[in-house]
Amino acid sequence: MLARKCRYSLQSDANCYVDITIEPCCTIEITVPKKGQRVRSKLALIHFTPSNENILLECHAKDAVGPKSIQLELSYRDALELCQTIDAAQEEHENLMSDLCY
């Protein structure tokens, strides 16, 4: 199992991008270097909300300092690709856990 990495342009600022890493243990790390934002959370704590032209990605997390959240606008195509990547990572994790139980 390897971490899956992707990079998407933000719809609110075409010159700004987001780096997303989906880790095998079903966690996600979202980084927006230009804005100095970084959130690490469980996959269960992310939400996709459709809007007129884009998809709003929301991620909430708690860390040693306190709660954090991030909201990003992605294109429908990028959000769909991210959802498929998340689904594949979760399925791979479930298969691994099932195999370890036998």
Side-chain angles (χ1 to χ4, degrees):
M1 289 180 72
L2 299 173
R4 293 170 165 89
K5 296 184 179 207
C6 16
R7 175 179 279 188
Y8 303 112
S9 294
L10 296 181
Q11 295 301 299
S12 58
D13 182 355
N15 295 323
C16 193
Y17 61 89
V18 58
D19 288 322
I20 299 176
T21 303
I22 301 162
E23 298 177 0
C25 56
C26 291
T27 59
I28 188 168
E29 182 176 305
I30 301 172
T31 307
V32 185
K34 187 174 180 180
K35 295 182 179 182
Q37 295 177 314
R38 182 178 173 272
V39 172
R40 183 182 181 98
S41 182
K42 295 180 183 180
L43 288 176
L45 297 176
I46 65 169
H47 304 281
F48 293 91
T49 307
S51 67
N52 292 339
E53 298 176 7
N54 303 309
I55 299 288
L56 182 65
L57 168 64
E58 297 176 273
C59 181
H60 306 283
K62 291 182 181 178
D63 63 10
V65 178
K68 287 185 176 182
S69 64
I70 195 167
Q71 294 183 343
L72 307 168
E73 284 186 72
L74 300 176
S75 70
Y76 276 95
R77 182 186 54 118
D78 291 346
L80 178 60
E81 181 183 302
L82 179 58
C83 284
Q84 291 171 340
T85 303
I86 289 170
D87 288 345
Q90 288 177 321
E91 185 176 327
E92 187 176 328
H93 183 260
E94 288 173 9
N95 289 338
L96 178 63
M97 292 298 109
S98 177
D99 290 346
L100 290 174
C101 289
Y102 291 109

